[in-house]
């Protein structure tokens, strides 16, 4: 992300306010790398950020491999360069009660204690900030989703009976790159025939057969921001009645849930809307996962949308809506879009037909 340094400084200031209202810690030690990136712009694979009560005490630690990258991505932020990154960053102060994230390892917690510092677990502070996107983040999500939908459409035109899941997955990722994405957002799921009943199937060598359901769940990544989209196809002939039936159930659930992503809606209620539609079609037991999740610098982030979720929807959250029905041994259907919450109604970013398209 090429956000100006002031954007990241403002994010740290918002976090500082949250830290101030929590449990009297003297600083938060940020070790979860997507959080480090969100708060500084630094995208290296080793980074420790300390956000202190006084902005003048903020510092970021990394090692010698990232000196130039850090200077370019996080200009103006005090840097500690040391192979023993956590220790050196801690020694640079401030000291006392330090908030830590859930991603801190037991070994790192011992590192704190051995220095007389008291780790206090503060979960989800940065994640709470990250759940609501700013204009720069939304622009990257829009772009990642546009590329994803375009690539998915192009791939659909190339699908043939006999193609393996792995070949289709790699081809889709190649299309992401050709359309300008920096990478795939996660391991592409291509699941044909009975495999389509496995929600997170890992693509294998099975060739597509006539009459298969085919679930493709994939996303492109742009500037660190992740798209997420699923479409279900039928291979080589019109759908069998059972295939059309489960697809209709999922499509209706997806449409009803999408409309429900409105500011102030309870997250759990939206999950319940989708689940009720699927159940009314007689497939309640076959919808075996949550309805959706936030997307951003991570593919799965706050808010998580499921039966036991708490919290409400807020404008500018970026979330997926992805009901599914899975019939073991036979096949499954999932339809997923990434949307942005707005007062005027959800803005769906992965625009493409949701019908059960015949391919091959
Ligand atoms: Zn997905
Ligand atoms: Zn998803």
């Amino acid at each position: 992300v090429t956000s100006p340094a002031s954007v990241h400084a403002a994010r740290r200031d918002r976090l500082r306010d949250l830290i101030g209202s929590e449990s009297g810690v003297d600083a938060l030690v940020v070790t979860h790398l997507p959080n480090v990136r969100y708060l500084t712009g630094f995208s290296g694979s080793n980074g420790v950020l300390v956000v202190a009560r006084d902005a003048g005490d903020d510092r970021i630690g990394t090692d010698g491999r990232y000196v130039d990258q850090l200077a370019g991505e996080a200009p103006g932020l005090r840097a500690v360069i040391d192979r023993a990154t956590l220790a050196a960053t801690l020694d640079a102060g401030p000291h006392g009660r330090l908030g830590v994230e859930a991603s801190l390892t037991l070994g790192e917690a011992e590192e704190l204690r051995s220095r007389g510092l008291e780790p206090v677990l503060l979960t989800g502070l940065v994640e709470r900030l990250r759940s609501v996107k700013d204009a720069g983040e939304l622009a990257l999500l829009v772009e990642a989703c546009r590329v994803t939908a375009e690539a998915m459409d192009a791939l659909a035109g190339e699908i043939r009976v006999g193609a393996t899941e792995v070949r289709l997955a790699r081809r889709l990722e190649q299309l992401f790159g050709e359309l300008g994405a920096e990478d795939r957002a996660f391991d592409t799921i291509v699941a044909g025939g009975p495999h389509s009943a496995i929600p997170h199937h890992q693509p294998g060598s099975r060739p597509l057969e006539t009459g298969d359901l085919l679930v493709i769940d994939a996303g492109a990544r742009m500037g660190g921001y992740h798209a997420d989209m699923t479409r279900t196809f039928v291979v080589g002939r019109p759908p069998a009645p059972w295939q059309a039936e489960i697809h209709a159930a999922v499509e209706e659930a997806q449409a009803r849930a999408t409309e429900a992503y409105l500011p102030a809606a309870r997250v759990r209620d939206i999950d319940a809307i989708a689940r009720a539609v699927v159940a009314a079609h007689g497939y309640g037991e076959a919808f075996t996962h949550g309805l959706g999740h936030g997307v951003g610098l991570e593919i799965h982030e706050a808010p998580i949308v499921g039966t036991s979720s708490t919290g409400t929807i807020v404008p500018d959250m970026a979330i997926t809506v992805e009901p599914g029905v899975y019939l073991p041994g036979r096949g499954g259907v999932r339809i997923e879009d990434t949307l942005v919450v707005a007062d005027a109604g959800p803005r769906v970013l992965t625009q493409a037909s949701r019908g059960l398209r015949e391919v091959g």
Side-chain angles (χ1 to χ4, degrees):
V1 189
T2 51
S3 312
S6 61
V7 169
H8 299 112
R11 290 174 183 170
R12 291 196 297 278
D13 286 340
R14 283 204 297 283
L15 176 62
R16 215 179 310 283
D17 291 342
L18 283 181
I19 295 170
S21 62
E22 297 265 348
S23 59
V25 299
D26 298 296
L28 178 67
V29 182
V30 182
T31 47
H32 186 50
L33 289 171
N35 290 347
V36 172
R37 182 172 187 174
Y38 178 76
L39 295 165
T40 68
F42 176 62
S43 63
S45 69
N46 176 31
V48 176
L49 173 70
V50 174
V51 177
R53 282 186 175 282
D54 181 347
D57 289 330
D58 286 358
R59 67 203 67 232
I60 185 168
T62 188
D63 62 76
R65 294 171 297 167
Y66 292 113
V67 172
D68 291 345
Q69 186 178 332
L70 180 63
E73 292 180 332
L77 190 57
R78 197 153 142 205
V80 178
I81 308 296
D82 198 303
R83 251 175 54 170
T85 305
L86 179 65
T89 310
L90 291 171
D91 287 346
H95 304 289
R97 279 165 59 86
L98 297 185
V100 297
E101 303 189 295
S103 60
L104 194 83
T105 67
L106 194 53
E108 290 167 338
E110 282 307 312
E111 187 90 57
L112 263 74
R113 290 196 191 94
S114 72
R115 295 180 145 65
L117 306 171
E118 187 190 345
V120 179
L121 183 62
L122 296 180
T123 50
L125 285 190
V126 187
E127 285 78 1
R128 203 190 305 169
L129 295 176
R130 281 175 46 201
S131 69
V132 177
K133 271 63 183 178
D134 65 27
E137 296 181 287
L138 290 177
L140 291 168
L141 282 167
V142 165
E143 203 47 24
C145 288
R146 188 187 60 76
V147 164
T148 302
E150 257 186 70
M152 189 87 82
D153 185 59
L155 180 78
E158 298 180 8
I159 294 170
R160 298 287 176 267
V161 170
T164 65
E165 294 167 345
V166 167
R167 214 182 86 195
L168 293 174
R170 297 297 87 80
R171 175 61 184 143
L172 182 59
E173 291 159 4
Q174 182 183 28
L175 286 164
F176 288 161
E178 287 172 10
L179 292 167
E182 64 188 9
D183 203 348
R184 62 182 186 182
F186 56 93
D187 292 353
T188 299
I189 296 169
V190 175
H195 292 162
S196 60
I198 303 165
H200 271 196
H201 174 67
Q202 192 177 331
S205 58
R206 181 187 181 279
L208 287 181
E209 295 175 12
T210 299
D212 278 352
L213 284 174
L214 172 64
V215 172
I216 301 182
D217 183 348
R221 204 184 74 201
M222 302 283 269
Y225 283 78
H226 298 67
D228 197 359
M229 174 180 182
T230 308
R231 289 293 183 271
T232 301
F233 307 93
V234 62
V235 179
R237 69 169 185 226
W242 70 272
Q243 294 172 329
E245 194 180 307
I246 61 173
H247 191 277
V250 172
E251 195 174 0
E252 185 187 336
Q254 211 253 359
R256 292 279 308 282
T258 297
E259 293 166 2
Y261 273 98
L262 294 169
R266 294 202 316 170
V267 172
R268 169 193 315 175
D269 292 346
I270 301 174
D271 180 274
I273 287 168
R275 227 160 279 283
V277 172
V278 173
H281 283 259
Y283 296 102
E285 302 286 294
F287 178 10
T288 49
H289 53 72
L291 179 67
H293 53 87
V295 290
L297 285 170
E298 290 177 277
I299 184 60
H300 295 121
E301 56 180 60
I304 300 303
V305 185
T307 47
S308 57
S309 296
T310 57
T312 55
I313 297 297
V314 174
D316 296 326
M317 281 181 165
I319 321 183
T320 70
V321 50
E322 50 178 308
V325 165
Y326 309 95
L327 306 181
R330 299 179 75 190
V333 169
R334 181 165 63 258
I335 304 172
E336 173 180 28
D337 286 306
T338 297
L339 60 80
V340 176
V341 177
D343 290 317
R347 175 182 173 205
V348 176
L349 302 187
T350 43
Q351 285 293 353
S353 161
R354 290 163 197 87
L356 183 50
R357 176 171 170 185
E358 187 183 329
V359 292

